[in-house]
Amino acid sequence: MKHDTTKNNTQIFVLPAQVPLLSRAGWAVFLFALLVVGVLAHGFIKQVLFETPMLVALMLILGGIVLIFVDRCAPTPRHHDAAHLPI
């Protein structure tokens, strides 16, 4: 039995060649800016964020609460068989 791919043809992954040039350039600028901020804030990150056990523990607890909330708010699945997912 052949699967009909004409219905609900939603792509999950997009290849870089399929993204317009302007969008790829925007991502490159964003990633470069993020790299610069990371290099400039390295000392602050190491001294304040990683050296405070209470802050690390608090962030782990808050992250767990967020994950529980997001998991409970998840929509019902539309596909139940991975072999029939649209490509």
Side-chain angles (χ1 to χ4, degrees):
M1 178 189 287
K2 187 175 180 180
H3 179 64
D4 185 15
T5 59
T6 58
K7 295 180 189 173
N8 196 8
N9 193 12
T10 305
Q11 283 187 317
I12 296 173
F13 299 105
V14 178
L15 297 174
Q18 295 172 325
V19 178
L21 181 61
L22 183 60
S23 178
R24 280 187 275 168
W27 275 104
V29 169
F30 170 74
L31 291 176
F32 180 73
L34 195 60
L35 176 72
V36 169
V37 169
V39 168
L40 293 176
H42 180 265
F44 172 77
I45 291 169
K46 289 291 283 185
Q47 290 176 353
V48 176
L49 299 181
F50 286 141
E51 295 295 327
T52 313
M54 183 63 82
L55 182 63
V56 172
L58 180 67
M59 290 300 117
L60 286 172
I61 292 169
L62 288 176
I65 292 170
V66 168
L67 288 175
I68 290 171
F69 177 74
V70 168
D71 191 38
R72 289 186 181 185
C73 294
T76 57
R78 296 184 323 193
H79 304 284
H80 298 286
D81 187 6
H84 294 107
L85 285 174
I87 296 178

